[in-house]
C-alpha cells in the first residue's frame, strides 16, 4: 500500500492483469513482502487473531441469520431450534456466542499492547483512532447481538442500556424512541436491532481495511519503540510473521475451542436461557463481562446523566490519547515510572470489571465499616468503583501528560538491531533468540 | 511479561466467576458427581430413561417442555436411542411412548378441534391451554417451562437436584404464607420473614411448588429403588439432557478439534523456530 513495490509478475496472465487491475501486486505488497520489524513479540500477534475472529463472527453470524427469526414471539424458540434441529447449529451458535467474548479478549490485549508500547503516538494517531472506532462499533454490535436471543438478560439489558440515552437533555427522549421504534423495548426494537446487527460487522470490516491501510503507511511499531532505520531491522511479513501469527492463532484457537466444546455457557448468564418477560425483572441485571468496567463507571456516579457522560467520556478519552501522552519515548520499556503507573492502570481496569459484576451496595470486605461517605458505605463496591474510576481518568488526563514532561527515561537504543547485537550473550551461537522471553 | 499478562488475565476471569457477596446466607447448593461431568462425560441412558418417567408421571402435570418432541427421545444421546433406527421417528419404543399421550389437533375433514394419540414428530403437549390457566391452577404462580431450565438456573442440574431435595420443615420463627413452601435451595432472602436472631436467618427461600417427589411415587422399570434422592437425581439428569441434547456430539467433536488444533499448533511452532533460526531478533 505504500513504499516501493517489489512484486514482479511472472506469468502472462499476471502481467496482463497487473497493467489493468494490480490486485495481485496489492496483495503481494500487503501480505507477502511488507517489511516488518524483526523484533515483534507475541503481543503483536493479536492483530492477526482479531482479523480471524472477525471472519469467524461474520461467517457463523451469516449462517445463524439464515435460521434466526427476529420476532418477540419466536426469537427465543428459533435460537433453541438452531441448537437442536439445525445441522451443527449448536456448534455455529456456540462459536458465535463465545467468539464475541474471544474477540473482546483479543481486542483488549491488542489495546493494552498499544498502551504499553506507545503505538498510538505519531505517526500512528490515525491508525489508533481507527482502532478506537472499530472498538466502538464492536461494542455496539455485541450489545445489539446479545439482545437477539430475547432472553431475560437480553430484554432487560436492552431496557437499561437504551434508557441511558434518555438521560441526555432534549435529545434523550427522541433518541430512545427512535432506538425502540416505539415507546418501549418491543418487537420493532428487536427487528431493527437484528438489521443493525447484520449491518455493523460490515462497517467494522470496512474500518479494518482502513486500519490496515493506516498501518501499512508508517509500518509497525515495535517493542523498542524506535523507528525502523534500515532494511536490516525488518523481515518480510511472509513467511516470518505469517508463521509466527499462525502459531499464536493456533494457541488462541485452543483456548477458544476449550470454551466452545467444554464450557460453552460459562461466559454467559443463566438468566438469558429464560424467555424475555417484561413483567419480571431479573434480580441482578449485568452486562457481558467485556462491558463490566464501563458498567462500573456508569454506576459509580450517583447522577444518571453524570454516569452516562462519564462512561462515554471513558471511551472518548481513548480517541484523544495520542495528544495526552507527552512523552517522546514510545515504549514503556524505557519509562520505568510510566511502567509502574501503567500496571496500576491495568489493575484499576480489572477492579472496575470486578465491581461491575457486583451489587454496588454490597461490602467489599465481609465486615461492614458503618462509615457512610456521601451516599454509600465506604466499604462498598460503589466506593471501590469510584476510586478505580478516578484512577482510570487520572491516568490519561493527569499522569500521562505530566509524566512525559517530568520523567527521565532510560537510554533508548539506536536502532532495532542494536539491543540484540550489543548483547550477544542473550543470543546463543547458532540458536534463535527467544522473543517470547522478552517483552 | 507474557506470563504476567496471562496471570492477570486468569485473575480477571477468576473474578468474573465469583458470586456476588450477600449479606444473607446463600441457598444450599449440593454438588452431584454426574455421569456427564468433564470433557469425556456421557449421558447415562438408564438414568435418562428413569428421569423421563419422573418427568412424565410427576412434573408433566404442571410443567410444559414445549421445545421437545417425542422424536428427540430417540436421537443419539437421548434416553431411548436405538442405533437400529437412524430415523428416530421409526423407533418403535418412541412411537409407543408417544401413542400413550393425547395431543390437540384439527380434524382435516370437519375442522373440529380433536384429540389424537401423539406421533414421534409431535411436541410434548403442554398441561395448560395458556398462561392464565396455568397460573389459575397453581395459586397464581406460573410453573416454568422445563425445556432449557437446566441452563436457565445458576448451578444447572446441581441446582435442580438441590431444589427437589431441599424441602424442609418450616423453622420456628419463619413466617411462610399459605401456598408457599420453605426450601433451603430456593433463591431469595428470608430476612423480612424471619423473627428470630438476625445473625441466624435460615438459608434458602420460599417456593410455590409443593414438594413434588416422595419415596415410591414413581416405579422404575430397571428396579432402581425409588427414593426422593434417586428421583431428583434422575429427573435433573433428564432435564440437563433436554437442555443440552447435543452435549455428547459436542464433546466428541471437541476432542477431534482439540487434537487437530494441538498438532497444527505444534507443527506451526516448529516451523516458526525453523524459519526464524537465522534471524537475530
Amino acid at each position: 500500500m505504500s513504499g516501493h513495490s517489489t512484486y514482479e509478475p511472472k506469468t502472462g496472465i499476471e502481467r496482463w492483469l497487473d497493467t489493468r487491475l494490480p490486485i495481485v501486486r496489492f496483495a503481494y505488497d500487503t501480505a507477502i513482502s511488507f517489511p516488518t520489524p524483526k523484533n515483534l513479540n507475541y503481543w503483536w500477534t493479536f492483530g492477526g487473531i482479531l482479523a480471524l475472529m472477525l471472519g469467524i463472527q461474520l461467517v457463523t453470524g451469516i449462517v445463524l441469520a439464515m435460521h434466526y427469526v427476529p420476532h418477540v414471539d419466536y426469537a427465543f424458540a428459533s435460537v433453541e431450534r438452531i441448537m437442536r434441529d439445525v445441522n451443527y447449529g449448536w456448534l455455529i451458535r456456540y462459536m458465535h456466542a463465545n467468539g464475541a467474548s474471544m474477540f473482546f479478549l483479543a481486542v483488549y490485549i491488542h489495546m493494552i499492547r498499544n498502551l504499553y508500547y506507545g503505538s498510538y503516538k505519531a505517526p500512528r494517531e490515525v491508525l489508533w483512532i481507527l482502532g478506537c472506532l472499530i472498538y466502538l462499533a464492536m461494542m455496539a454490535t455485541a450489545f445489539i447481538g446479545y439482545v437477539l436471543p430475547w432472553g431475560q438478560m437480553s430484554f432487560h439489558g436492552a431496557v437499561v442500556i437504551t434508557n441511558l440515552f434518555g438521560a441526555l437533555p432534549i435529545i434523550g427522549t427522541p433518541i430512545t424512541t427512535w432506538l425502540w421504534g416505539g415507546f418501549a423495548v418491543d418487537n420493532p426494537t428487536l427487528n431493527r436491532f437484528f438489521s443493525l446487527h447484520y449491518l455493523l460487522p460490515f462497517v467494522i470490516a470496512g474500518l479494518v481495511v482502513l486500519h490496515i491501510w493506516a498501518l501499512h503507511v508508517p509500518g509497525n511499531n515495535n517493542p523498542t519503540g524506535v523507528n525502523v532505520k534500515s532494511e536490516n531491522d525488518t523481515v518480510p511479513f511472509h513467511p516470518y510473521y505469517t508463521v509466527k501469527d499462525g502459531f499464536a492463532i493456533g494457541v488462541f484457537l485452543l483456548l477458544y475451542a476449550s470454551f466452545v466444546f467444554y464450557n460453552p455457557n460459562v461466559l454467559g448468564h443463566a438468566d438469558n436461557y429464560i424467555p424475555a418477560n417484561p413483567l419480571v425483572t431479573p434480580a441482578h441485571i449485568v452486562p457481558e463481562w467485556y462491558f463490566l468496567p464501563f458498567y462500573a463507571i456508569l454506576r459509580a456516579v450517583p447522577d444518571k446523566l453524570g454516569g452516562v457522560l462519564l462512561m462515554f467520556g471513558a471511551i472518548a478519552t481513548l480517541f484523544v490519547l495520542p495528544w495526552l501522552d507527552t512523552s517522546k519515548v514510545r515504549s514503556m520499556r524505557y519509562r520505568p515510572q510510566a511502567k509502574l503507573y501503567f500496571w496500576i492502570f491495568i489493575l484499576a481496569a480489572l477492579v472496575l470489571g470486578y465491581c461491575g459484576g457486583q451489587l454496588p451496595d454490597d461490602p467489599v470486605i465481609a465486615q461492614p465499616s458503618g462509615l457512610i461517605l456521601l451516599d454509600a458505605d465506604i466499604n462498598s463496591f460503589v466506593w471501590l468503583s469510584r476510586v478505580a474510576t478516578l484512577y482510570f481518568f487520572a491516568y490519561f488526563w493527569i499522569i500521562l501528560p505530566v509524566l512525559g514532561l517530568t520523567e527521565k527515561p532510560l537510554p533508548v537504543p539506536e536502532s532495532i538491531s542494536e539491543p540484540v547485537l550489543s548483547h550477544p550473550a542473550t543470543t546463543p551461537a547458532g540458536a534463535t533468540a527467544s522473543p517470547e522471553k522478552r517483552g | 511479561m507474557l506470563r504476567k499478562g496471562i496471570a492477570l488475565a486468569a485473575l480477571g476471569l477468576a473474578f468474573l466467576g465469583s458470586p456476588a457477596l450477600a449479606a444473607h446466607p446463600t441457598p444450599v447448593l449440593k454438588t452431584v458427581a454426574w455421569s456427564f461431568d468433564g470433557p469425556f462425560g456421557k449421558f447415562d441412558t438408564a438414568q435418562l430413561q428413569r428421569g423421563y418417567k419422573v418427568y412424565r408421571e410427576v412434573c408433566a402435570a404442571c410443567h410444559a417442555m414445549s421445545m421437545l418432541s417425542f422424536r428427540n427421545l430417540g436421537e443419539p444421546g437421548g434416553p431411548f436411542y436405538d442405533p437400529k433406527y437412524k430415523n428416530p421417528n421409526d423407533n418403535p419404543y418412541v412411537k409407543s411412548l408417544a401413542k400413550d399421550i393425547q395431543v390437540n389437533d384439527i380434524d382435516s375433514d370437519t375442522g373440529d378441534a380433536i384429540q389424537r394419540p401423539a406421533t414421534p414428530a409431535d411436541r410434548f403437549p403442554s398441561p395448560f391451554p395458556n398462561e392464565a390457566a396455568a397460573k389459575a391452577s397453581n395459586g397464581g404462580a406460573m410453573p416454568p417451562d422445563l425445556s432449557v431450565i437446566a441452563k436457565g438456573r445458576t448451578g444447572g442440574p446441581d441446582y435442580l437436584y438441590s431444589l427437589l431435595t431441599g424441602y424442609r420443615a418450616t423453622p420456628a420463627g419463619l413466617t411462610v404464607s399459605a401456598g408457599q413452601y420453605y426450601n433451603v435451595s430456593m433463591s431469595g432472602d428470608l430476612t423480612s420473614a424471619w423473627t428470630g436472631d438476625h445473625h441466624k436467618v435460615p438459608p434458602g427461600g420460599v417456593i410455590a411448588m409443593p414438594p413434588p417427589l416422595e419415596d415410591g411415587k414413581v416405579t422404575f422399570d430397571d428396579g432402581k429403588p425409588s427414593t426422593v434422592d434417586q428421583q431428583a437425581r434422575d429427573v435433573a439428569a433428564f432435564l440437563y439432557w433436554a437442555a443440552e441434547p447435543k452435549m455428547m456430539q459436542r464433546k466428541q467433536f471437541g476432542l477431534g478439534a482439540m487434537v487437530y488444533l494441538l498438532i497444527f499448533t505444534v507443527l506451526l511452532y516448529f516451523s516458526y523456530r525453523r524459519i526464524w533460526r537465522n534471524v537475530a531478533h
Side-chain angles (χ1 to χ4, degrees), chain A residues 91-423:
Chain A
L91 176 62
I92 298 163
R93 174 169 176 252
Y94 278 155
M95 278 177 75
H96 196 73
N98 286 287
S101 279
M102 291 295 123
F103 204 166
F104 272 95
L105 177 68
V107 89
Y108 282 132
I109 296 174
H110 195 64
M111 289 165 82
I112 289 168
R113 200 270 338 260
N114 256 276
L115 293 182
Y116 186 82
Y117 293 111
S119 304
Y120 49 82
K121 292 182 198 183
R124 297 184 184 81
E125 302 96 320
V126 173
L127 174 60
W128 165 257
I129 289 171
L130 284 164
C132 291
L133 285 171
I134 292 171
Y135 175 57
L136 200 62
M138 276 175 67
M139 293 210 287
T141 312
F143 158 66
I144 290 170
Y146 195 58
V147 176
L148 300 184
W150 211 242
Q152 273 290 68
M153 263 324 153
S154 298
F155 178 84
H156 292 279
V159 171
V160 169
I161 303 299
T162 52
N163 265 314
L164 293 180
F165 294 95
L168 300 170
I170 306 165
I171 53 167
T173 311
I175 287 181
T176 41
T177 308
W178 176 75
L179 280 172
W180 291 337
F183 300 101
V185 174
D186 206 336
N187 200 50
T189 323
L190 181 59
N191 263 283
R192 63 191 52 199
F193 274 22
F194 179 54
S195 172
L196 292 173
H197 190 67
Y198 209 112
L199 168 71
L200 283 173
F202 294 97
V203 173
I204 295 177
L207 287 168
V208 166
V209 170
L210 294 180
H211 191 66
I212 295 173
W213 187 5
L215 167 71
H216 282 244
V217 177
N220 279 284
N221 184 28
N222 66 82
T224 64
V226 227
N227 287 336
V228 168
K229 296 267 160 61
S230 69
E231 212 166 289
N232 195 27
D233 290 343
T234 66
V235 287
F237 189 78
H238 179 76
Y240 291 96
Y241 282 106
T242 42
V243 74
K244 187 169 181 174
D245 283 359
F247 166 61
I249 284 171
V251 173
F252 192 80
L253 285 179
L254 277 165
L255 175 72
Y256 178 22
S258 69
F259 279 108
V260 169
F261 294 111
Y262 301 113
N263 233 336
N265 292 307
V266 74
L267 297 170
H269 197 292
D271 279 21
N272 226 28
Y273 277 109
I274 303 170
N277 183 350
L279 302 177
V280 180
T281 309
H284 309 175
I285 300 175
V286 281
E288 292 277 85
W289 68 266
Y290 37 82
F291 291 139
L292 290 175
F294 295 103
Y295 198 52
I297 293 176
L298 172 78
R299 294 192 303 182
V301 186
D303 173 61
K304 188 177 170 188
L305 178 61
V308 171
L309 291 178
L310 207 63
M311 186 177 73
F312 287 115
I315 301 164
T317 296
L318 296 176
F319 283 82
V320 292
L321 172 61
W323 296 277
L324 293 176
D325 187 349
T326 50
S327 175
K328 293 275 178 287
V329 177
R330 287 202 192 99
S331 175
M332 287 199 189
R333 265 190 192 174
Y334 311 106
R335 302 179 63 193
Q337 274 182 290
K339 199 190 276 188
L340 175 71
Y341 290 112
F342 167 83
W343 285 113
I344 301 173
F345 170 77
I346 300 297
L347 183 70
L350 287 173
V351 164
L352 281 173
Y354 181 57
C355 292
Q358 308 297 317
L359 288 175
D361 290 330
D362 274 351
V364 179
I365 309 159
Q367 286 300 318
S369 76
L371 179 65
I372 306 285
L373 188 63
L374 295 179
D375 57 336
D377 195 297
I378 193 112
N379 176 24
S380 66
F381 282 104
V382 70
W383 267 109
L384 187 60
S385 306
R386 282 170 188 170
V387 173
T389 303
L390 194 69
Y391 187 83
F392 186 98
F393 283 94
Y395 178 74
F396 291 113
W397 289 94
I398 300 169
I399 297 172
L400 285 182
V402 173
L403 202 61
L405 303 173
T406 60
E407 76 180 342
K408 190 173 156 36
L410 300 176
V412 173
E414 278 301 304
S415 73
I416 290 172
S417 303
E418 189 244 23
V420 175
L421 299 177
S422 66
H423 302 292

Side-chain angles (χ1 to χ4, degrees), chain B residues 73-87:
Chain B
L73 299 169
E75 284 171 359
F80 301 103
Y81 173 61
D82 185 340
K84 266 193 294 190
Y85 302 98
K86 291 282 173 242
N87 180 349

Side-chain angles (χ1 to χ4, degrees), chain A residues 38 84 94 240 261 362 435, chain B residues 21 242 244 250 272 276 281:
Chain A
K38 60 185 182 179
R84 288 153 197 273
Y94 278 155
Y240 291 96
F261 294 111
D362 274 351
Chain B
L21 271 171
E244 200 60 20
R250 166 159 61 78
Y272 158 64
W276 280 79
H281 64 283

Side-chain angles (χ1 to χ4, degrees), chain B residues 124-150:
Chain B
F124 287 8
S126 298
F128 300 104
N130 52 56
E131 200 179 318
K135 281 183 177 169
S137 307
N138 290 282
M142 170 78 188
D145 187 293
L146 299 183
S147 309
V148 284
I149 200 91

